[in-house]
């Protein structure tokens, strides 16, 4: 199969769906001329000029207007530029977009997407390194996609572009240039369906986004010692695929959850709690969590490396559960 | 010009120091020695310099992601700045902040900011504190043309006007917000005109003319110290370098930049001073030489400094870490 980058997969999803649906349009800061600050949107440069729009630095309006546009019949895809800047327009997201349908007794189709770069990149420091997907999982009202491969990026994004609910898509900065197989034929990936990225029988690791790759690396290392790790990529956080995880735990009897966002109160805690509520009898060991240390992301490389989890962090937690 | 030679040379020296720091930062970044991002102030030196010449140590500023020039003009330690750009332990933020988060609260620098317009509300708070403490200090809040389109700008100006706070909102209109031209994103020709909407004094000035900036800020500072409230000043300039070092600059032609470079503030001021006989060629050379030595020393200091111990990442979140789970 041909291999394309994560960015190209995003671009293809956009172009195919824009062609199919003339109500889709996209806007944000620095996208029309540069394709986003990390060039994620490069594949759509110069295409559909009146539907790919640069806006002022006005986050509250970038997000809030998506709601208005959706209610008025369009399908907006608003870019948040850096996930950190979701905070600057958070009232539009949390108080308007996420509540509108519920508060109005189910009125309107809120088909809109918020998307953009997220996650820790090299020394971007605290105000450009946030992985804040958990916040949107905590507050009801938006679906969350967190793809880890070009294949998933394209398939999930195409589904988002057809969905009739608000969707937020977190694209990890370190993944944009990553290549992977993507078929030429059209396909869609449903929300709430996890993907087993590696089958194994000794321990289950549940991860998303960059941490899927770190977990796969950890599993390769541990395979050398005869520890057989199953890596489940959740792909979407709302909804999340409980069944696949529980099925896996029934087989491996051990669970580690791995995310890049802060360990304390991260989404892994929700998964760990749910599994112990519903599948406690299958567990042979406590559930362990991997996450960033509970501080902001520091600038200096040795500090950042210390705070941010990687494959070694995953190995550490796996070691704690395998010998129990 | 009615100014003393010493004062004029001082302005020139500050601009040259900023320029040298920035040229070195660019070079180091391109050599792969500096982590993260660097946003250069080259061509905008007259604004920080002219404005800050009005300030005392007990005045405050809030800065931006393009803040090295503000820091230097306010009297920051260039060695600590450089060490921070390297991510070293001896840097202003002990390696936690980097270029976009440098602060020196002890000299009134309440932080560069990685969030566009993030400094304006902070400036409002400093202005309130000054008022409550019945001091005659002032605050200058620097921000870009792009920042003037954020809600924080509107809220800060309205608030400062209502409470008559001693703040100078100093807009650095360098014509670009990242890849976007001000004409494409901003509803007014002069951002200074927006003052009307807040019932405060507004001005638009040539930001490449250090004396013009000095004078307009001087009036605003006097107003602020007298309790007559805030001022919005737009200083028009041009961003000579990319948005950040490494910017592919797909949004403009080289020829445009070359044309604008002819109006850059340092050589412009320099020729005025030379013509006036306020500066000799040998003084000029020694000012540049001193500035080069200063950054060279700063680079040596930074390179000789060690990286912070990884565990220090868990310090500085609170005053005391008692009971905190890392
Ligand atoms: C709230 C927010 N939105 C977007 C960004 C990304 N960003 C960083 S600098 C910049 C452009 C800022 O333009 P301007 O305010 O004119 O300042 P300049 O860079 O021209 O000095 C943008 C969009 C950000 N840092 N913060």
């Amino acid at each position: 199969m041909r291999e394309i980058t994560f960015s190209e997969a995003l671009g293809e999803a956009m172009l195919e769906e824009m062609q199919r649906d003339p109500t889709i349009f996209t806007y944000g800061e620095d996208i029309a001329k540069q394709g986003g600050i990390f060039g994620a949107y490069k594949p759509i440069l110069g295409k559909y000029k009146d539907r790919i729009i640069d806006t002022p630095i006005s986050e509250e309006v970038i997000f809030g207007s998506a709601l208005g546009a959706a209610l008025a019949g369009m399908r907006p895809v608003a870019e948040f530029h850096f996930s950190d800047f979701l905070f600057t327009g958070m009232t539009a997201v949390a108080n308007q977009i996420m509540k509108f349908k519920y508060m109005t007794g189910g009125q309107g189709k809120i088909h809109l997407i918020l998307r953009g770069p997220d996650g820790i990149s090299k020394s971007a420091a605290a105000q450009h390194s946030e992985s804040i997907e958990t916040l949107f999982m905590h507050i009801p009202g938006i679906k969350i996609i967190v793809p880890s491969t070009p294949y998933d990026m394209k398939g999930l994004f195409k589904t988002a572009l057809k969905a009739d609910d608000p969707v937020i898509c977190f694209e990890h900065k370190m993944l944009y240039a990553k290549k992977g197989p993507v078929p030429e034929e059209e396909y869609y990936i449903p929300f709430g369906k996890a993907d087993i990225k590696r089958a194994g029988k000794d321990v289950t690791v549940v991860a998303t986004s960059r941490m899927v790759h770190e977990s796969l690396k950890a599993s390769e290392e541990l395979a050398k010692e005869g520890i057989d790790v199953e890596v489940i990529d959740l792909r979407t956080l709302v909804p999340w695929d409980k069944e696949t995880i529980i099925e896996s735990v029934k087989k491996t009897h051990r669970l580690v959850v791995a995310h890049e966002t802060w360990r304390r109160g991260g989404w892994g805690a929700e998964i760990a709690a749910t599994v112990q509520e519903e599948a406690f009898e299958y567990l042979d060991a406590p559930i362990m969590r991997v996450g960033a240390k509970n501080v902001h992301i520091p600038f200096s490389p040795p500090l950042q490396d210390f705070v941010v989890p990687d494959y070694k962090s995953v190995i550490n937690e796996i070691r704690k559960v395998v010998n129990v | 010009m009615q100014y003393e030679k010493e004062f004029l040379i001082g302005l020139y020296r500050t601009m040259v120091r900023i320029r040298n720091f920035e040229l070195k930062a660019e070079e180091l970044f391109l050599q792969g020695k500096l982590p993260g991002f660097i946003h250069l102030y080259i061509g905008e030196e007259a604004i920080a310099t002219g404005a800050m010449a009005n300030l005392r140590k007990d005045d405050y500023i809030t800065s931006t992601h393009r803040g090295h020039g503000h820091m230097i003009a306010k009297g920051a330690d260039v060695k600590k700045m450089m060490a921070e750009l390297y991510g070293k332990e001896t840097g202003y933020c002990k390696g936690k902040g980097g270029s976009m988060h440098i602060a020196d609260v002890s000299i009134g620098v309440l932080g560069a900011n990685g969030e566009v317009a993030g400094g304006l509300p902070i400036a409002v708070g400093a202005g309130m504190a000054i008022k409550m403490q019945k001091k005659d200090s002032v605050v200058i809040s620097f921000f870009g043309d792009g920042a003037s389109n954020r809600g924080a700008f509107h809220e800060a100006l309205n608030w400062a006007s209502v409470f008559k706070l001693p703040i100078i909102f100093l807009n650095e209109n360098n014509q670009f917000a990242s890849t976007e031209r001000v004409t494409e994103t901003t509803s007014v020709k002069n951002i200074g005109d927006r003052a009307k909407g807040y019932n405060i004094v507004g001005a638009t000035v040539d930001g490449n003319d250090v004396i013009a900036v000095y004078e307009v800020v001087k009036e605003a500072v006097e107003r602020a110290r007298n309790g007559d409230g805030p001022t919005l000043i737009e200083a028009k300039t041009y961003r000579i370098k990319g948005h950040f070092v490494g910017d592919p600059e797909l949004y403009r032609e080289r020829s445009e930049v070359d044309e604008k470079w002819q109006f850059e503030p340092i050589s412009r001021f320099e020729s005025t001073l030379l013509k006036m006989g306020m500066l000799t060629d040998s003084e000029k050379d020694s000012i540049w030489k001193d500035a080069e030595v200063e950054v060279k020393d700063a680079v040596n200091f930074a390179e000789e400094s060690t990286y912070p111990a990884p565990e220090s990442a868990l310090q500085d979140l609170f005053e005391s870490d008692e009971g905190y789970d890392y």
Side-chain angles (χ1 to χ4, degrees):
Chain A
M1 206 185 291
R2 70 182 176 138
E3 300 226 327
I4 61 173
T5 65
F6 197 86
S7 298
E8 284 162 346
L10 168 63
E12 277 192 8
M14 275 302 283
L15 290 176
E16 286 174 21
E17 296 299 309
M18 284 180 97
Q19 182 162 17
R20 180 187 59 74
D21 180 350
T23 68
I24 295 173
F25 72 113
T26 183
Y27 58 106
E29 297 157 22
D30 302 315
I31 64 177
K33 286 186 232 70
Q34 180 167 301
I37 205 74
F38 292 93
Y41 254 172
K42 246 187 207 147
I44 65 173
L45 285 188
K47 315 264 166 56
Y48 294 108
K49 284 213 166 82
D50 49 350
R51 289 159 67 194
I52 299 175
I53 304 160
D54 275 341
T55 70
I57 308 173
S58 302
E59 282 80 9
E60 191 172 345
V61 180
I62 294 174
F63 310 144
S65 66
L67 176 59
L71 290 170
M74 295 299 284
R75 227 173 236 281
V77 181
E79 207 207 46
F80 45 73
H81 205 73
F82 276 89
S83 57
D84 312 66
F85 305 129
L86 280 161
F87 290 131
T88 71
M90 195 66 182
T91 190
V93 183
N95 259 336
Q96 309 299 338
I97 292 173
M98 293 167 83
K99 292 180 182 170
F100 187 90
K101 185 157 198 109
Y102 185 79
M103 290 191 303
T104 59
Q107 294 180 47
K109 281 206 194 338
I110 325 277
H111 31 46
L112 65 86
I113 299 178
L114 307 179
R115 61 147 289 275
D118 139 274
I120 288 143
S121 70
K122 293 193 188 84
S123 287
Q127 289 178 333
H128 289 78
S129 280
E130 220 85 69
S131 305
I132 49 170
E133 62 275 14
T134 302
L135 293 180
F136 300 87
M137 189 186 192
H138 182 65
I139 308 168
I142 199 162
K143 296 187 172 165
I144 306 174
I145 62 185
V146 269
S148 70
T149 63
Y151 178 84
D152 291 352
M153 178 72 238
K154 184 171 179 188
L156 290 168
F157 208 72
K158 280 175 70 83
T159 303
L161 285 163
K162 272 191 164 173
D164 281 338
D165 289 308
V167 177
I168 190 161
C169 176
F170 291 105
E171 301 147 20
H172 201 289
K173 298 168 194 129
M174 304 299 275
L175 296 180
Y176 282 131
K178 224 176 166 67
K179 279 194 166 181
V182 175
E184 309 266 2
E185 315 74 71
E186 179 158 77
Y187 65 98
Y188 290 83
I189 298 174
F191 291 176
K193 198 78 209 79
D195 185 38
I196 300 176
K197 291 277 191 289
R198 182 189 192 279
K201 57 181 178 11
D202 295 331
V203 55
T204 303
V205 176
V206 175
T208 58
S209 191
R210 183 183 71 90
M211 288 310 289
V212 170
H213 301 281
E214 296 297 318
S215 301
L216 288 170
K217 198 165 165 196
S219 69
E220 280 160 31
E221 294 285 314
L222 289 168
K224 293 176 200 155
E225 301 170 20
I227 300 169
D228 192 14
V229 181
E230 175 145 305
V231 178
I232 296 181
D233 180 355
L234 271 184
R235 302 202 287 202
T236 63
L237 285 175
V238 175
W240 66 274
D241 183 355
K242 191 166 70 182
E243 286 67 37
T244 299
I245 297 176
I246 289 179
E247 274 316 300
S248 176
V249 167
K250 283 182 182 171
K251 181 173 69 174
T252 65
H253 308 291
R254 288 170 176 84
L255 177 62
V256 171
V257 283
H259 51 59
E260 188 185 87
T261 196
W262 297 285
R263 204 180 109 89
R264 182 181 60 213
W267 57 257
E270 175 67 23
I271 292 188
T274 306
V275 170
Q276 73 83 25
E277 279 165 3
E278 301 194 19
F280 187 70
E281 64 273 29
Y282 299 103
L283 287 169
D284 283 350
I287 301 167
M288 287 296 161
R289 288 180 284 157
V290 175
K293 299 207 168 54
N294 297 328
V295 290
H296 300 289
I297 308 307
F299 167 76
S300 188
L303 299 183
Q304 183 187 287
D305 292 346
F306 181 73
V307 166
V308 177
D310 63 3
Y311 73 98
K312 285 178 259 161
S313 326
V314 181
I315 290 175
N316 281 345
E317 298 308 312
I318 290 176
R319 285 200 198 289
K320 288 182 195 162
V321 299
V322 281
N323 293 323
V324 177
Chain B
M1 229 184 286
Q2 71 281 32
Y3 298 103
E4 302 280 326
K5 170 166 173 162
E6 199 188 331
F7 173 76
L8 296 172
I9 297 269
L11 295 178
Y12 179 70
R13 186 187 302 279
T14 302
M15 290 203 282
V16 170
R17 288 177 60 222
I18 298 171
R19 175 70 55 86
N20 274 277
F21 186 89
E22 295 294 70
L23 289 170
K24 183 56 83 179
E26 180 181 40
E27 181 190 318
L28 294 167
F29 189 86
L30 292 171
Q31 288 169 356
K33 290 189 176 162
L34 306 183
F37 312 106
I38 299 282
H39 304 83
L40 297 176
Y41 198 59
I42 291 175
E44 306 183 31
E45 296 90 344
I47 307 174
T49 303
M52 228 77 75
N54 291 288
L55 293 197
R56 308 187 305 232
K57 196 174 169 196
D58 65 341
D59 293 325
Y60 299 98
I61 67 162
T62 65
S63 175
T64 67
H65 56 284
R66 202 177 298 289
H68 306 153
H70 308 146
M71 296 284 307
I72 292 173
K74 186 74 173 67
D77 179 338
V78 173
K79 285 196 170 107
K80 283 181 162 184
M81 287 175 66
M82 191 57 88
E84 189 58 34
L85 299 195
Y86 270 81
K88 296 293 179 78
E89 193 183 19
T90 51
Y92 260 116
C93 316
K94 303 180 212 159
K96 294 198 175 75
S99 166
M100 278 192 288
H101 303 295
I102 299 183
D104 185 347
V105 176
S106 73
I107 58 165
V109 179
L110 308 184
N113 216 303
E115 181 184 310
V116 169
L120 283 90
I122 298 171
V124 167
M128 302 221 305
I130 291 167
K131 222 181 150 182
M132 292 164 89
Q133 294 160 2
K134 301 199 184 347
K135 291 186 178 160
D136 73 340
S137 299
V138 300
V139 190
I140 300 185
S141 183
F142 292 90
F143 59 101
D145 44 285
S148 77
N149 293 325
R150 272 206 56 219
F153 167 86
H154 168 71
E155 296 185 27
L157 268 76
N158 181 61
W159 184 301
S161 172
V162 165
F163 294 104
K164 281 205 160 207
L165 301 180
I167 308 179
I168 293 87
F169 292 101
L170 218 181
N171 176 239
E172 303 181 300
N173 183 351
N174 63 14
Q175 312 298 319
F176 292 95
S178 192
T179 68
E180 302 178 351
R181 259 176 217 277
V182 65
T183 47
E184 296 163 338
T185 53
T186 305
S187 61
V188 287
K189 187 153 165 272
N190 296 317
I191 290 167
D193 294 348
R194 288 183 169 169
K196 270 200 201 77
Y198 304 101
N199 190 28
I200 62 174
V201 178
T204 295
V205 66
D206 178 353
N208 284 8
D209 179 346
V210 66
I211 295 293
V213 174
Y214 171 74
E215 288 177 347
V216 72
V217 174
K218 186 169 198 279
E219 279 176 32
V221 166
E222 276 164 17
R223 250 195 310 280
R225 292 209 202 281
N226 289 336
D228 294 332
T231 305
L232 171 63
I233 297 170
E234 173 190 21
K236 284 202 198 288
T237 180
Y238 187 86
R239 200 192 69 218
I240 292 294
K241 294 287 177 172
H243 173 53
F244 53 89
V245 181
D247 180 355
E249 295 183 63
L250 303 174
Y251 46 85
R252 64 180 178 187
E253 299 290 336
R254 217 48 246 163
S255 54
E256 178 183 319
V257 180
D258 293 342
E259 192 205 311
K260 298 289 184 185
W261 185 235
Q262 297 170 26
F263 304 98
E264 67 94 4
I266 297 184
S267 51
R268 193 169 137 181
F269 190 47
E270 183 178 288
S271 52
T272 309
L273 293 179
L274 288 167
K275 256 187 244 141
M276 289 167 65
M278 289 281 192
L279 180 73
T280 65
D281 279 321
S282 70
E283 281 169 332
K284 183 186 106 181
D285 292 343
S286 78
I287 287 171
W288 278 85
K289 186 105 211 116
D290 290 349
E292 278 163 33
V293 170
E294 182 187 40
V295 281
K296 217 171 139 215
D297 287 348
V299 170
N300 288 339
F301 173 75
E303 294 204 334
E304 281 163 13
S305 299
T306 49
Y307 281 108
E311 299 74 27
S312 71
L314 306 186
Q315 291 162 1
D316 298 321
L317 193 65
F318 298 116
E319 281 287 325
S320 148
D321 295 335
E322 217 175 306
Y324 189 77
D325 60 319
Y326 289 101

